[in-house]
Amino acid sequence: TDRKKLHTAPVGQVFRLRPFHVLVATGGGYAGYKKYEDYKLEQLEKRGIEVPVKLASEWEVALYKSVPTRLLSRAWGRLNQVELPTWLRKPVYSLYIWTFGVNMKEAAVEDLHHYRNLSEFFRRKLKPQARPVCCLHSVISPSDGKILNFGQVKNCEVEQVKGVTYSLESFLGPRICPEELHFSQALPGNSFQQQLVTKEGNELYHCVIYLAPGDYHCFHSPTDWRVSHRRHFPGSLMSVNPGVARWIKELFCHNERVVLTGDWKHGFFSLTAVGATNVGSIRIYFDQDLHTNSPSYSKGSYNDFSFISNNNKEGIPMRKGEHLGEFNLGSTIVLIFEAPKDFKFHLKAGQKIRFGEALGSL
């Protein structure tokens, strides 16, 4: 008689599912399944077995996009900024170092207790001698990472990985007005690719570098050039690891990205920082007005900012190797630039590269 009465709700009310929850659960489960598939593909590649290209269908891409990766990335960013107790720092960072193979001997500060939160640890600086900048070649790697693809741009299409392409115009957006750029007007041409070339006999080249979570997360200027314009595309934050890049066509065009456009001694030059899951924060050191991974955005929108003004007619001059920006975790850098036909890359697809090493030269 002393027992308390229990008030229960109908079973249907307790287990009521909302469409949002179904989408999150289904999309998350499917993303986990794809991660497992990516792991199997990586194992096959290590054994030298060529993997046939299998692109995602429209419904698979839509399902993946239903996962709230932007919301999760903002939550992850806030978690990264939470200050850890001193006694907890070494165990947490040591687990990360072991998982992703981080080389702390290159860090400017090797003491793990120095980093107050995960964000500081991700953005750790390197010892000056850890990354010597190659002076013999005209273009160097702007970051640590893995070379996914490189070569000439053909038929207005760029390869994100072998056999999977994306549209050059969709990636860079409409051509910027010549008045906003410092370099001379492009040569007359019908295609978007031809409109970017400014000198007779030149070609467009590209290089894609994937930054893994264990890599150094800052990126630098790949050559001596001037940045005239920034274009920010809000978008999805899908994973950009090589397995997903092989699976989703135009992945880089779906994701949030920051396109820096300018010129170097041979004409057009651009560097694009592509966002990814848990990497919504892209920072450009000289651009204080840039804010990425906002809570809301219009699909297909972009915003432009010109560094050319009445007071600054030169844009932002960058020296080879100079600090340019950083990611919160790891992502992708895409270089698209103009150069003479005898420009040669000194790379192999799939190779690991470090900031400062040669990409190519004339």
Side-chain angles (χ1 to χ4, degrees), residues 18-45:
R18 297 179 181 179
F20 176 76
H21 298 152
V22 174
L23 285 173
V24 171
T26 307
Y30 193 77
Y33 166 75
K34 285 305 299 177
K35 285 283 187 181
Y36 174 68
E37 289 291 311
D38 295 341
Y39 171 77
K40 292 198 300 183
L41 290 176
E42 287 179 5
Q43 297 305 308
L44 290 174
E45 286 183 344

PDB file of all heavy atoms in Angstrom, residues 18-45:
ATOM      1  N   ARG A  18      10.037  11.009 -35.411  1.00  0.00           N
ATOM      2  CA  ARG A  18       9.856  12.162 -36.270  1.00  0.00           C
ATOM      3  C   ARG A  18      10.707  12.006 -37.524  1.00  0.00           C
ATOM      4  O   ARG A  18      11.754  11.350 -37.481  1.00  0.00           O
ATOM      5  CB  ARG A  18      10.254  13.434 -35.527  1.00  0.00           C
ATOM      6  CG  ARG A  18       9.366  13.682 -34.297  1.00  0.00           C
ATOM      7  CD  ARG A  18       9.793  14.933 -33.552  1.00  0.00           C
ATOM      8  NE  ARG A  18       8.966  15.153 -32.384  1.00  0.00           N
ATOM      9  CZ  ARG A  18       9.131  16.164 -31.535  1.00  0.00           C
ATOM     10  NH1 ARG A  18      10.130  17.020 -31.723  1.00  0.00           N
ATOM     11  NH2 ARG A  18       8.325  16.304 -30.503  1.00  0.00           N
ATOM     12  N   PRO A  19      10.303  12.619 -38.634  1.00  0.00           N
ATOM     13  CA  PRO A  19      11.067  12.475 -39.887  1.00  0.00           C
ATOM     14  C   PRO A  19      12.527  12.874 -39.739  1.00  0.00           C
ATOM     15  O   PRO A  19      13.411  12.240 -40.302  1.00  0.00           O
ATOM     16  CB  PRO A  19      10.323  13.414 -40.845  1.00  0.00           C
ATOM     17  CG  PRO A  19       8.930  13.483 -40.304  1.00  0.00           C
ATOM     18  CD  PRO A  19       9.060  13.376 -38.821  1.00  0.00           C
ATOM     19  N   PHE A  20      12.782  13.935 -38.948  1.00  0.00           N
ATOM     20  CA  PHE A  20      14.170  14.385 -38.774  1.00  0.00           C
ATOM     21  C   PHE A  20      15.023  13.296 -38.138  1.00  0.00           C
ATOM     22  O   PHE A  20      16.144  13.037 -38.552  1.00  0.00           O
ATOM     23  CB  PHE A  20      14.196  15.655 -37.922  1.00  0.00           C
ATOM     24  CG  PHE A  20      15.594  16.138 -37.597  1.00  0.00           C
ATOM     25  CD1 PHE A  20      16.352  16.787 -38.558  1.00  0.00           C
ATOM     26  CD2 PHE A  20      16.133  15.927 -36.343  1.00  0.00           C
ATOM     27  CE1 PHE A  20      17.627  17.227 -38.266  1.00  0.00           C
ATOM     28  CE2 PHE A  20      17.410  16.361 -36.040  1.00  0.00           C
ATOM     29  CZ  PHE A  20      18.153  17.015 -37.000  1.00  0.00           C
ATOM     30  N   HIS A  21      14.465  12.628 -37.107  1.00  0.00           N
ATOM     31  CA  HIS A  21      15.208  11.575 -36.426  1.00  0.00           C
ATOM     32  C   HIS A  21      15.480  10.401 -37.365  1.00  0.00           C
ATOM     33  O   HIS A  21      16.550   9.796 -37.328  1.00  0.00           O
ATOM     34  CB  HIS A  21      14.434  11.089 -35.201  1.00  0.00           C
ATOM     35  CG  HIS A  21      14.222  12.166 -34.166  1.00  0.00           C
ATOM     36  ND1 HIS A  21      13.160  12.174 -33.298  1.00  0.00           N
ATOM     37  CD2 HIS A  21      14.943  13.285 -33.899  1.00  0.00           C
ATOM     38  CE1 HIS A  21      13.241  13.232 -32.514  1.00  0.00           C
ATOM     39  NE2 HIS A  21      14.311  13.929 -32.865  1.00  0.00           N
ATOM     40  N   VAL A  22      14.493  10.070 -38.195  1.00  0.00           N
ATOM     41  CA  VAL A  22      14.666   8.971 -39.147  1.00  0.00           C
ATOM     42  C   VAL A  22      15.776   9.306 -40.140  1.00  0.00           C
ATOM     43  O   VAL A  22      16.642   8.481 -40.441  1.00  0.00           O
ATOM     44  CB  VAL A  22      13.345   8.683 -39.896  1.00  0.00           C
ATOM     45  CG1 VAL A  22      13.574   7.649 -40.989  1.00  0.00           C
ATOM     46  CG2 VAL A  22      12.285   8.208 -38.921  1.00  0.00           C
ATOM     47  N   LEU A  23      15.775  10.564 -40.634  1.00  0.00           N
ATOM     48  CA  LEU A  23      16.797  10.973 -41.594  1.00  0.00           C
ATOM     49  C   LEU A  23      18.183  10.927 -40.975  1.00  0.00           C
ATOM     50  O   LEU A  23      19.141  10.454 -41.587  1.00  0.00           O
ATOM     51  CB  LEU A  23      16.502  12.390 -42.104  1.00  0.00           C
ATOM     52  CG  LEU A  23      15.361  12.535 -43.117  1.00  0.00           C
ATOM     53  CD1 LEU A  23      15.095  14.005 -43.395  1.00  0.00           C
ATOM     54  CD2 LEU A  23      15.690  11.812 -44.407  1.00  0.00           C
ATOM     55  N   VAL A  24      18.300  11.435 -39.740  1.00  0.00           N
ATOM     56  CA  VAL A  24      19.597  11.453 -39.072  1.00  0.00           C
ATOM     57  C   VAL A  24      20.109  10.033 -38.847  1.00  0.00           C
ATOM     58  O   VAL A  24      21.263   9.705 -39.118  1.00  0.00           O
ATOM     59  CB  VAL A  24      19.519  12.218 -37.734  1.00  0.00           C
ATOM     60  CG1 VAL A  24      20.811  12.045 -36.945  1.00  0.00           C
ATOM     61  CG2 VAL A  24      19.265  13.694 -37.993  1.00  0.00           C
ATOM     62  N   ALA A  25      19.217   9.153 -38.327  1.00  0.00           N
ATOM     63  CA  ALA A  25      19.620   7.781 -38.040  1.00  0.00           C
ATOM     64  C   ALA A  25      19.985   7.034 -39.315  1.00  0.00           C
ATOM     65  O   ALA A  25      21.018   6.347 -39.384  1.00  0.00           O
ATOM     66  CB  ALA A  25      18.499   7.057 -37.306  1.00  0.00           C
ATOM     67  N   THR A  26      19.161   7.193 -40.353  1.00  0.00           N
ATOM     68  CA  THR A  26      19.413   6.492 -41.612  1.00  0.00           C
ATOM     69  C   THR A  26      20.677   7.026 -42.285  1.00  0.00           C
ATOM     70  O   THR A  26      21.540   6.265 -42.729  1.00  0.00           O
ATOM     71  CB  THR A  26      18.219   6.650 -42.568  1.00  0.00           C
ATOM     72  OG1 THR A  26      17.036   6.256 -41.895  1.00  0.00           O
ATOM     73  CG2 THR A  26      18.402   5.792 -43.805  1.00  0.00           C
ATOM     74  N   GLY A  27      20.763   8.361 -42.345  1.00  0.00           N
ATOM     75  CA  GLY A  27      21.939   8.959 -42.976  1.00  0.00           C
ATOM     76  C   GLY A  27      23.224   8.645 -42.231  1.00  0.00           C
ATOM     77  O   GLY A  27      24.245   8.339 -42.834  1.00  0.00           O
ATOM     78  N   GLY A  28      23.151   8.694 -40.896  1.00  0.00           N
ATOM     79  CA  GLY A  28      24.340   8.379 -40.102  1.00  0.00           C
ATOM     80  C   GLY A  28      24.776   6.938 -40.266  1.00  0.00           C
ATOM     81  O   GLY A  28      25.965   6.638 -40.382  1.00  0.00           O
ATOM     82  N   GLY A  29      23.783   6.020 -40.284  1.00  0.00           N
ATOM     83  CA  GLY A  29      24.112   4.608 -40.480  1.00  0.00           C
ATOM     84  C   GLY A  29      24.717   4.350 -41.842  1.00  0.00           C
ATOM     85  O   GLY A  29      25.677   3.581 -41.975  1.00  0.00           O
ATOM     86  N   TYR A  30      24.179   5.032 -42.846  1.00  0.00           N
ATOM     87  CA  TYR A  30      24.700   4.843 -44.204  1.00  0.00           C
ATOM     88  C   TYR A  30      26.111   5.421 -44.325  1.00  0.00           C
ATOM     89  O   TYR A  30      26.972   4.839 -44.986  1.00  0.00           O
ATOM     90  CB  TYR A  30      23.770   5.511 -45.217  1.00  0.00           C
ATOM     91  CG  TYR A  30      24.061   5.110 -46.643  1.00  0.00           C
ATOM     92  CD1 TYR A  30      23.650   3.877 -47.131  1.00  0.00           C
ATOM     93  CD2 TYR A  30      24.772   5.947 -47.495  1.00  0.00           C
ATOM     94  CE1 TYR A  30      23.923   3.497 -48.432  1.00  0.00           C
ATOM     95  CE2 TYR A  30      25.049   5.580 -48.787  1.00  0.00           C
ATOM     96  CZ  TYR A  30      24.622   4.349 -49.262  1.00  0.00           C
ATOM     97  OH  TYR A  30      24.910   3.978 -50.540  1.00  0.00           O
ATOM     98  N   ALA A  31      26.346   6.569 -43.659  1.00  0.00           N
ATOM     99  CA  ALA A  31      27.686   7.163 -43.684  1.00  0.00           C
ATOM    100  C   ALA A  31      28.690   6.224 -43.024  1.00  0.00           C
ATOM    101  O   ALA A  31      29.823   6.071 -43.495  1.00  0.00           O
ATOM    102  CB  ALA A  31      27.676   8.516 -42.971  1.00  0.00           C
ATOM    103  N   GLY A  32      28.267   5.564 -41.920  1.00  0.00           N
ATOM    104  CA  GLY A  32      29.149   4.603 -41.254  1.00  0.00           C
ATOM    105  C   GLY A  32      29.460   3.421 -42.154  1.00  0.00           C
ATOM    106  O   GLY A  32      30.603   2.948 -42.204  1.00  0.00           O
ATOM    107  N   TYR A  33      28.447   2.963 -42.884  1.00  0.00           N
ATOM    108  CA  TYR A  33      28.646   1.856 -43.820  1.00  0.00           C
ATOM    109  C   TYR A  33      29.643   2.247 -44.912  1.00  0.00           C
ATOM    110  O   TYR A  33      30.528   1.460 -45.282  1.00  0.00           O
ATOM    111  CB  TYR A  33      27.308   1.473 -44.452  1.00  0.00           C
ATOM    112  CG  TYR A  33      27.415   0.581 -45.671  1.00  0.00           C
ATOM    113  CD1 TYR A  33      27.732  -0.772 -45.539  1.00  0.00           C
ATOM    114  CD2 TYR A  33      27.211   1.097 -46.944  1.00  0.00           C
ATOM    115  CE1 TYR A  33      27.849  -1.587 -46.662  1.00  0.00           C
ATOM    116  CE2 TYR A  33      27.317   0.290 -48.065  1.00  0.00           C
ATOM    117  CZ  TYR A  33      27.634  -1.048 -47.923  1.00  0.00           C
ATOM    118  OH  TYR A  33      27.744  -1.834 -49.034  1.00  0.00           O
ATOM    119  N   LYS A  34      29.527   3.495 -45.412  1.00  0.00           N
ATOM    120  CA  LYS A  34      30.447   3.953 -46.451  1.00  0.00           C
ATOM    121  C   LYS A  34      31.871   4.058 -45.916  1.00  0.00           C
ATOM    122  O   LYS A  34      32.837   3.783 -46.619  1.00  0.00           O
ATOM    123  CB  LYS A  34      30.000   5.314 -47.002  1.00  0.00           C
ATOM    124  CG  LYS A  34      28.811   5.258 -47.934  1.00  0.00           C
ATOM    125  CD  LYS A  34      29.056   4.313 -49.093  1.00  0.00           C
ATOM    126  CE  LYS A  34      30.234   4.714 -49.946  1.00  0.00           C
ATOM    127  NZ  LYS A  34      30.512   3.758 -51.043  1.00  0.00           N
ATOM    128  N   LYS A  35      32.020   4.446 -44.651  1.00  0.00           N
ATOM    129  CA  LYS A  35      33.347   4.503 -44.042  1.00  0.00           C
ATOM    130  C   LYS A  35      33.992   3.118 -44.062  1.00  0.00           C
ATOM    131  O   LYS A  35      35.180   2.969 -44.351  1.00  0.00           O
ATOM    132  CB  LYS A  35      33.247   5.015 -42.604  1.00  0.00           C
ATOM    133  CG  LYS A  35      32.993   6.500 -42.472  1.00  0.00           C
ATOM    134  CD  LYS A  35      34.261   7.284 -42.722  1.00  0.00           C
ATOM    135  CE  LYS A  35      34.057   8.756 -42.430  1.00  0.00           C
ATOM    136  NZ  LYS A  35      35.269   9.546 -42.689  1.00  0.00           N
ATOM    137  N   TYR A  36      33.196   2.102 -43.754  1.00  0.00           N
ATOM    138  CA  TYR A  36      33.707   0.726 -43.759  1.00  0.00           C
ATOM    139  C   TYR A  36      34.089   0.317 -45.180  1.00  0.00           C
ATOM    140  O   TYR A  36      35.132  -0.323 -45.399  1.00  0.00           O
ATOM    141  CB  TYR A  36      32.651  -0.223 -43.198  1.00  0.00           C
ATOM    142  CG  TYR A  36      33.036  -1.676 -43.304  1.00  0.00           C
ATOM    143  CD1 TYR A  36      34.089  -2.203 -42.547  1.00  0.00           C
ATOM    144  CD2 TYR A  36      32.350  -2.526 -44.170  1.00  0.00           C
ATOM    145  CE1 TYR A  36      34.442  -3.532 -42.657  1.00  0.00           C
ATOM    146  CE2 TYR A  36      32.699  -3.858 -44.292  1.00  0.00           C
ATOM    147  CZ  TYR A  36      33.752  -4.363 -43.533  1.00  0.00           C
ATOM    148  OH  TYR A  36      34.101  -5.677 -43.646  1.00  0.00           O
ATOM    149  N   GLU A  37      33.274   0.696 -46.156  1.00  0.00           N
ATOM    150  CA  GLU A  37      33.583   0.391 -47.553  1.00  0.00           C
ATOM    151  C   GLU A  37      34.877   1.091 -47.986  1.00  0.00           C
ATOM    152  O   GLU A  37      35.696   0.503 -48.702  1.00  0.00           O
ATOM    153  CB  GLU A  37      32.421   0.838 -48.455  1.00  0.00           C
ATOM    154  CG  GLU A  37      31.167  -0.014 -48.315  1.00  0.00           C
ATOM    155  CD  GLU A  37      31.371  -1.411 -48.866  1.00  0.00           C
ATOM    156  OE1 GLU A  37      31.874  -1.541 -49.990  1.00  0.00           O
ATOM    157  OE2 GLU A  37      31.051  -2.374 -48.145  1.00  0.00           O
ATOM    158  N   ASP A  38      35.056   2.343 -47.542  1.00  0.00           N
ATOM    159  CA  ASP A  38      36.275   3.078 -47.866  1.00  0.00           C
ATOM    160  C   ASP A  38      37.506   2.374 -47.301  1.00  0.00           C
ATOM    161  O   ASP A  38      38.557   2.308 -47.943  1.00  0.00           O
ATOM    162  CB  ASP A  38      36.199   4.506 -47.307  1.00  0.00           C
ATOM    163  CG  ASP A  38      35.095   5.326 -47.955  1.00  0.00           C
ATOM    164  OD1 ASP A  38      34.658   4.937 -49.045  1.00  0.00           O
ATOM    165  OD2 ASP A  38      34.674   6.324 -47.358  1.00  0.00           O
ATOM    166  N   TYR A  39      37.364   1.858 -46.088  1.00  0.00           N
ATOM    167  CA  TYR A  39      38.485   1.147 -45.454  1.00  0.00           C
ATOM    168  C   TYR A  39      38.872  -0.081 -46.268  1.00  0.00           C
ATOM    169  O   TYR A  39      40.062  -0.352 -46.496  1.00  0.00           O
ATOM    170  CB  TYR A  39      38.105   0.750 -44.032  1.00  0.00           C
ATOM    171  CG  TYR A  39      39.102  -0.171 -43.369  1.00  0.00           C
ATOM    172  CD1 TYR A  39      40.312   0.330 -42.871  1.00  0.00           C
ATOM    173  CD2 TYR A  39      38.857  -1.540 -43.257  1.00  0.00           C
ATOM    174  CE1 TYR A  39      41.238  -0.509 -42.269  1.00  0.00           C
ATOM    175  CE2 TYR A  39      39.778  -2.389 -42.653  1.00  0.00           C
ATOM    176  CZ  TYR A  39      40.964  -1.867 -42.170  1.00  0.00           C
ATOM    177  OH  TYR A  39      41.880  -2.703 -41.573  1.00  0.00           O
ATOM    178  N   LYS A  40      37.875  -0.814 -46.752  1.00  0.00           N
ATOM    179  CA  LYS A  40      38.160  -2.003 -47.565  1.00  0.00           C
ATOM    180  C   LYS A  40      38.854  -1.621 -48.872  1.00  0.00           C
ATOM    181  O   LYS A  40      39.765  -2.325 -49.323  1.00  0.00           O
ATOM    182  CB  LYS A  40      36.858  -2.765 -47.853  1.00  0.00           C
ATOM    183  CG  LYS A  40      36.239  -3.422 -46.621  1.00  0.00           C
ATOM    184  CD  LYS A  40      35.232  -4.493 -46.987  1.00  0.00           C
ATOM    185  CE  LYS A  40      34.098  -3.960 -47.801  1.00  0.00           C
ATOM    186  NZ  LYS A  40      33.076  -4.988 -48.098  1.00  0.00           N
ATOM    187  N   LEU A  41      38.424  -0.504 -49.475  1.00  0.00           N
ATOM    188  CA  LEU A  41      39.051  -0.055 -50.718  1.00  0.00           C
ATOM    189  C   LEU A  41      40.508   0.334 -50.486  1.00  0.00           C
ATOM    190  O   LEU A  41      41.375   0.046 -51.315  1.00  0.00           O
ATOM    191  CB  LEU A  41      38.276   1.137 -51.293  1.00  0.00           C
ATOM    192  CG  LEU A  41      36.884   0.838 -51.860  1.00  0.00           C
ATOM    193  CD1 LEU A  41      36.200   2.126 -52.304  1.00  0.00           C
ATOM    194  CD2 LEU A  41      36.975  -0.136 -53.026  1.00  0.00           C
ATOM    195  N   GLU A  42      40.786   0.996 -49.363  1.00  0.00           N
ATOM    196  CA  GLU A  42      42.162   1.378 -49.053  1.00  0.00           C
ATOM    197  C   GLU A  42      43.053   0.151 -48.896  1.00  0.00           C
ATOM    198  O   GLU A  42      44.213   0.149 -49.327  1.00  0.00           O
ATOM    199  CB  GLU A  42      42.192   2.211 -47.767  1.00  0.00           C
ATOM    200  CG  GLU A  42      41.648   3.614 -47.939  1.00  0.00           C
ATOM    201  CD  GLU A  42      41.673   4.397 -46.647  1.00  0.00           C
ATOM    202  OE1 GLU A  42      42.207   3.876 -45.637  1.00  0.00           O
ATOM    203  OE2 GLU A  42      41.154   5.532 -46.626  1.00  0.00           O
ATOM    204  N   GLN A  43      42.510  -0.891 -48.294  1.00  0.00           N
ATOM    205  CA  GLN A  43      43.287  -2.117 -48.129  1.00  0.00           C
ATOM    206  C   GLN A  43      43.604  -2.761 -49.473  1.00  0.00           C
ATOM    207  O   GLN A  43      44.706  -3.276 -49.688  1.00  0.00           O
ATOM    208  CB  GLN A  43      42.531  -3.106 -47.229  1.00  0.00           C
ATOM    209  CG  GLN A  43      42.304  -2.610 -45.808  1.00  0.00           C
ATOM    210  CD  GLN A  43      43.599  -2.197 -45.131  1.00  0.00           C
ATOM    211  OE1 GLN A  43      44.579  -2.953 -45.088  1.00  0.00           O
ATOM    212  NE2 GLN A  43      43.631  -0.977 -44.606  1.00  0.00           N
ATOM    213  N   LEU A  44      42.638  -2.718 -50.403  1.00  0.00           N
ATOM    214  CA  LEU A  44      42.864  -3.270 -51.737  1.00  0.00           C
ATOM    215  C   LEU A  44      43.944  -2.466 -52.482  1.00  0.00           C
ATOM    216  O   LEU A  44      44.785  -3.039 -53.181  1.00  0.00           O
ATOM    217  CB  LEU A  44      41.563  -3.264 -52.537  1.00  0.00           C
ATOM    218  CG  LEU A  44      40.482  -4.255 -52.086  1.00  0.00           C
ATOM    219  CD1 LEU A  44      39.197  -4.035 -52.877  1.00  0.00           C
ATOM    220  CD2 LEU A  44      40.960  -5.692 -52.247  1.00  0.00           C
ATOM    221  N   GLU A  45      43.886  -1.116 -52.324  1.00  0.00           N
ATOM    222  CA  GLU A  45      44.874  -0.273 -52.995  1.00  0.00           C
ATOM    223  C   GLU A  45      46.285  -0.544 -52.466  1.00  0.00           C
ATOM    224  O   GLU A  45      47.251  -0.549 -53.227  1.00  0.00           O
ATOM    225  CB  GLU A  45      44.514   1.203 -52.795  1.00  0.00           C
ATOM    226  CG  GLU A  45      43.316   1.648 -53.628  1.00  0.00           C
ATOM    227  CD  GLU A  45      43.036   3.131 -53.447  1.00  0.00           C
ATOM    228  OE1 GLU A  45      43.554   3.718 -52.479  1.00  0.00           O
ATOM    229  OE2 GLU A  45      42.308   3.682 -54.282  1.00  0.00           O
TER     230      GLU A  45
END
